[in-house]
Amino acid sequence: MSEEEMGVLVKITSAGTISIPKQFRKYMDIQKGEYVKVVLRGDQLIVRKVTIS
């Protein structure tokens, strides 16, 4: 899957939140209640799956 194929437009809510699209959650195996880490790199936000033990 190329980067271009993985791009999806999402809207920021008035509370400043976004939704991770279902196909991305499925691909990354991210379930409700799990955590992700958001990293700022230049002009990019990177979302990474994390495991809290």
Side-chain angles (χ1 to χ4, degrees):
M1 193 180 305
S2 74
E3 278 189 39
E4 186 173 84
E5 290 175 313
M6 295 179 69
V8 174
L9 185 65
V10 296
K11 186 175 183 178
I12 300 172
T13 69
S14 60
T17 62
I18 63 169
S19 295
I20 300 171
K22 183 178 181 179
Q23 67 267 34
F24 291 1
R25 293 191 318 267
K26 184 176 179 181
Y27 181 80
M28 297 298 296
D29 192 29
I30 298 171
Q31 306 296 320
K32 179 180 176 182
E34 292 184 326
Y35 289 88
V36 294
K37 182 176 185 177
V38 179
V39 178
L40 178 61
R41 184 177 296 157
D43 66 348
Q44 298 178 346
L45 290 176
I46 300 167
V47 179
R48 293 189 171 143
K49 181 178 176 179
V50 295
T51 303
I52 307 291
S53 50

